[in-house]
Amino acid sequence: QVQLVESGGGLVQVGGSLRLSCAASGRTFNNYAMGWFRQAPGKEREFVAAISWSSGRTYYADSVKGRFTISRDNAKNTVYLQMDSLKPDDTAVYYCATAPDVYTIVDNRYDYWGQGTQVTVSS
């Protein structure tokens, strides 16, 4: 009932920036949260950031605090991830996700997720 489409990934050098977008469509609920997780080859999926759709409260993984910023546009049903000061360890496929609440996303559990967008940071 929910479709998520990520965009904005690409190749950047260390210290560069990217802005990811996630457009949501289908049935949504005001009390649901949205966020981002990532997966690199040979690694477990990792929570990146989450935002409460209604309140705008945000949560971040320790590894990205101070460098990434999550935001949302309620009118456009879109969530963004601004990534600055990128490091090689940020290289991964980034997925947009939704869940009943932000705590679920922080715990790496999701109801829906998109196809992902590749982010590659070269050193």
Side-chain angles (χ1 to χ4, degrees), residues 1 7-8 16 19 22 26 31 34-36 42 46-50 52 70 78 85 94 106 113 123:
Q1 62 181 17
S7 62
R19 181 174 181 264
C22 173
N31 63 331
M34 296 184 68
W36 298 86
E46 178 187 14
F47 161 74
V48 175
S52 170
I70 188 170
T78 300
S85 302
Y94 284 70
V106 171
W113 57 91
S123 60

Side-chain angles (χ1 to χ4, degrees), residues 38 46-50 59-69 81-87 89-90 94:
R38 64 189 183 185
E46 178 187 14
F47 161 74
V48 175
Y59 300 81
Y60 297 94
D62 289 341
S63 60
V64 306
K65 285 182 179 178
R67 300 188 299 118
F68 291 10
T69 303
L81 185 68
Q82 177 66 43
M83 305 185 295
D84 299 319
S85 302
L86 284 162
K87 304 183 295 184
D89 285 347
D90 295 319
Y94 284 70

